[in-house]
Each structure stands twice: as structure tokens, then as C-alpha cells.
Amino acid sequence: MSVVAFERKQNTGEWSERELSTILAALSAATAPGTGREWETGVTEKGDVQFYLLSPLPDQACELCVSRLGGRYILEDGMGRLLFEHRNLDLVALHAKAAVPSTSWLMVRAITLWCAIRSALHEKAEPWLVEGEELVVQLVPQLAAFA
């Protein structure tokens, strides 16, 4: 019996509509308009497709990457660390959804601003609180004498 070696069929370098809709459905909360995140697709030097979840402007750093290598889907974080790998895109999409922080950057900034203002006010008001406490300590015995 003769064996004929066939060349590996090259991918077209594009995501199918089903693949993109699966990824985008899983990352819908992360790519919502209020988050500032965007997504982009690309191709490796070998022709394998990639999907990138980008952080808000001005950085637009890669937060998450999904690659299709042959029949496998590879999920990596923004640092290039492998998070998950499988042939089923639905499973990879679920892991991608879990890997993205759910708190928006705007909410994080608002909370940070609130904490900074509260800390500044506390530092400014602390001397008044201490002086008020000392005043109460001095006045209570005198008020008790009148009772």
C-alpha cells in the first residue's frame, strides 16, 4: 500500500461568523460600550487567526488573546501565559469570560477617587475630632456637677 502525504490545508486567516459570534457573546460584558474595551482580529506569521481583547484607551494593551491553531483554540492572557486550550470553542469562550475582570475601569477609578477624597477629608477633620473629644472630656465633669 502506498501512502501519499498531503499538505496541510492552510486556514484562510479569518474567523468564521459562528466563531466570532461565540467569542463576542461570551465577552459581551467586557466589550460593552461603557467599558472602553475594544476587540481586534489578526493573523500570525503562519496564517493562524487570533482574537484580541484590548484595554481602554490610551494604552489599548492586550488583555486576552484567543488563537486558532489547526483545530485547537488557545486562550492566553495579556502576558502570553496559557490559560486554557481545547478543540471546543464554547469551552474556551467560557474560560475567556471567566478570565476577564467584571469591574469596569471607570468604576475602579470612581472607587479610587472616592477613597482618596474620604482619606483627605479624614486627615483634615482628625484634629477637629481630637480637639472636640478633649473638650467633651473637660466639660462632662462640670456638667455633671450641675445635675
Side-chain angles (χ1 to χ4, degrees), residues 35-38 54-61 63 105 109:
T35 63
R37 289 186 178 116
E38 295 181 14
L54 304 173
S55 65
L57 291 172
D59 298 334
Q60 284 212 317
E63 291 186 12
W105 66 274
R109 287 187 181 192

Side-chain angles (χ1 to χ4, degrees), residues 2 53 73 77 98 128:
S2 299
L53 178 65
Y73 297 97
D77 66 3
W128 297 341

Side-chain angles (χ1 to χ4, degrees), residues 79-121:
M79 303 299 289
R81 291 181 294 234
L82 178 66
L83 300 177
F84 190 68
E85 176 181 353
H86 204 275
R87 290 190 177 277
N88 185 340
L89 181 59
D90 294 324
L91 288 175
V92 174
L94 284 174
H95 280 80
K97 181 179 182 178
V100 176
S102 60
T103 306
S104 72
W105 66 274
L106 185 60
M107 182 62 76
V108 170
R109 287 187 181 192
I111 292 170
T112 304
L113 178 64
W114 170 251
C115 291
I117 291 171
R118 186 173 174 199
S119 176
L121 289 176

Side-chain angles (χ1 to χ4, degrees), residues 52-79:
Y52 307 102
L53 178 65
L54 304 173
S55 65
L57 291 172
D59 298 334
Q60 284 212 317
C62 178
E63 291 186 12
L64 206 63
C65 176
V66 179
S67 304
R68 183 183 67 210
L69 303 174
R72 297 190 71 79
Y73 297 97
I74 313 295
L75 176 65
E76 297 173 320
D77 66 3
M79 303 299 289

